[in-house]
Amino acid sequence: MLRYEVTLKNGEKRSNLRAVSAEWKSELDVPADSLTLNCVYDGEIFENADRITAYNRNELVFDGQLDEIIRIRRDSGIALKLCARSAAAALLDNEAEPLSYRNPSVALMLKKHLQPFGITDVEPDGVPIIGDMRIDKGMTHWQVLEMFCKTKYRSKLRISGGGKVFLRGFKNDKKVKFGSGGIEYYSIKENKSRCKLISEVKLKVSDTGGYLSSLKNPNAECGFVKRVRYVNAAADDNSLNTADVMIEQSNLDSHYIKLTFGGCVTDILGAEAELDDAVFGRMNGLTVRKLIYSLSPSGELTTVYLGKEKY
């Protein structure tokens, strides 16, 4: 069961929260984790709460500033609802100063785009990017760091719910099995959303030419689906990689397996997964892409969304 702690504006910590229900969400494709907690009303928390943290035993699962503090009066009494997003939310909510960096380093990214929001748990690296990196008006701190990671490491930025920064890409080394010989579940659902697939992206690679090149989706399901998009790769804000990202995301959105089981499991996001189901069969090459933990008067549930590693 998750344990919660609220920090007040004066720095005082309150850990005697009486939770009635809760929901924590974490997924690979969403920058910030979220936590919603419904608990017995406390006037001091309503007036002065600033942050909330959640722990699974001694492991920090979530740390974030409160977005909403709500009190509700019903015939049964007064309840308190706390809603928060993890540290990455601050990077999404704040614009970065428009300017250009010359040979930017991890130390510079830390100083300018992470430390101002209290994020300091970053992998060290002394080698800068050689060249200029321009921050345009309207770019968020998250977008700046995404651009830095893509340029320097060819990787996807990830900040965990506990505030650890992964600049070189996030990978959970755990391996987990569901079904026979592993974590048993009481509900399974497999969804093929063929309407999400992009079968082909047509490309314009020069200002003077048309959309003469194309990138086809290798996913076997696209042999029966036609859904085409156009990308001007000659534009400043696009590249050939834009088409790859569009196709990859369409594949991820087009298929998932949802499992629900009792208890609290919070440490398997991004882990390699295997499924052995009496009806659905045995499946390898899966990844845990989304986790939802929920607490209600009926007990604790963990919901896991699995996706294929390759399509």
Side-chain angles (χ1 to χ4, degrees):
M1 180 179 290
L2 293 186
R3 172 172 55 87
Y4 308 99
E5 184 176 81
V6 168
T7 303
L8 304 182
K9 294 172 184 175
N10 64 3
E12 179 186 348
K13 296 185 184 299
R14 293 285 187 90
S15 58
N16 59 341
L17 301 174
R18 289 181 285 169
V20 176
S21 64
E23 183 177 78
W24 164 78
K25 293 182 182 180
S26 181
E27 52 188 303
L28 292 178
D29 298 323
V30 175
D33 291 4
S34 65
L35 175 65
T36 300
L37 178 67
N38 293 286
C39 56
V40 175
Y41 180 70
D42 184 311
E44 180 70 11
I45 290 177
F46 177 76
E47 293 294 341
N48 296 303
D50 179 50
R51 303 186 67 82
I52 185 168
T53 52
Y55 299 85
N56 187 4
R57 298 181 179 89
N58 294 321
E59 177 195 3
L60 177 63
V61 172
F62 180 92
D63 178 22
Q65 189 167 44
L66 288 160
D67 288 329
E68 293 183 280
I69 306 169
I70 304 165
R71 59 181 175 181
I72 308 162
R73 184 171 70 84
R74 302 187 180 96
D75 291 340
S76 57
I78 304 178
L80 184 65
K81 183 176 183 178
L82 306 175
C83 304
R85 291 170 296 156
S86 60
L91 308 183
L92 295 165
D93 293 348
N94 286 274
E95 285 188 22
E97 180 184 359
L99 47 77
S100 289
Y101 290 139
R102 182 70 174 172
N103 302 336
S105 64
V106 172
L108 178 64
M109 294 295 107
L110 173 62
K111 179 180 178 181
K112 297 287 289 186
H113 303 286
L114 291 166
Q115 282 182 343
F117 306 103
I119 304 172
T120 58
D121 192 355
V122 184
E123 303 161 314
D125 188 333
V127 182
I129 294 175
I130 303 303
D132 295 330
M133 193 176 92
R134 190 181 74 188
I135 302 175
D136 295 324
K137 172 70 176 72
M139 289 181 67
T140 65
H141 290 274
W142 179 269
Q143 289 173 318
V144 173
L145 287 165
E146 268 195 322
M147 180 170 59
F148 179 83
C149 292
K150 187 183 297 184
T151 303
K152 182 172 174 58
Y153 302 114
R154 301 292 188 267
S155 65
K156 188 174 182 179
L157 173 66
R158 168 77 183 161
I159 300 179
S160 73
K164 181 174 177 58
V165 181
F166 298 88
L167 299 176
R168 298 177 180 85
F170 172 72
K171 177 63 177 176
N172 190 335
D173 293 329
K174 292 180 181 292
K175 294 184 179 180
V176 59
K177 183 177 182 180
F178 296 97
S180 179
I183 298 175
E184 296 289 350
Y185 47 85
Y186 69 80
S187 168
I188 180 171
K189 171 184 175 182
E190 184 172 14
N191 188 314
K192 291 185 177 182
S193 298
R194 302 174 80 209
C195 60
K196 303 286 189 180
L197 287 169
I198 295 175
S199 59
E200 182 182 8
V201 177
K202 293 186 180 292
L203 297 162
K204 181 179 180 180
V205 295
S206 70
D207 292 328
T208 56
Y211 291 84
L212 304 178
S213 300
S214 73
L215 184 66
K216 295 184 183 296
N217 191 338
N219 189 333
E221 287 290 328
C222 287
F224 305 92
V225 172
K226 185 175 180 62
R227 192 163 286 105
V228 179
R229 297 290 185 270
Y230 290 81
V231 168
N232 181 2
D236 288 340
D237 56 348
N238 283 328
S239 68
L240 294 175
N241 184 59
T242 303
D244 285 318
V245 171
M246 290 172 64
I247 286 176
E248 179 184 3
Q249 191 61 51
S250 83
N251 287 332
L252 292 173
D253 294 340
S254 72
H255 176 260
Y256 67 83
I257 298 169
K258 177 183 175 183
L259 305 171
T260 303
F261 52 91
C264 178
V265 177
T266 58
D267 62 349
I268 59 173
L269 186 72
E272 180 184 334
E274 176 186 345
L275 174 67
D276 190 355
D277 185 82
V279 177
F280 287 25
R282 188 167 183 171
M283 302 182 203
N284 295 302
L286 301 171
T287 301
V288 179
R289 303 206 61 83
K290 180 178 180 179
L291 282 173
I292 302 176
Y293 163 81
S294 60
L295 170 71
S296 73
S298 301
E300 296 177 285
L301 293 177
T302 299
T303 301
V304 173
Y305 288 76
L306 306 177
K308 294 179 181 178
E309 290 182 1
K310 296 180 180 180
Y311 290 84

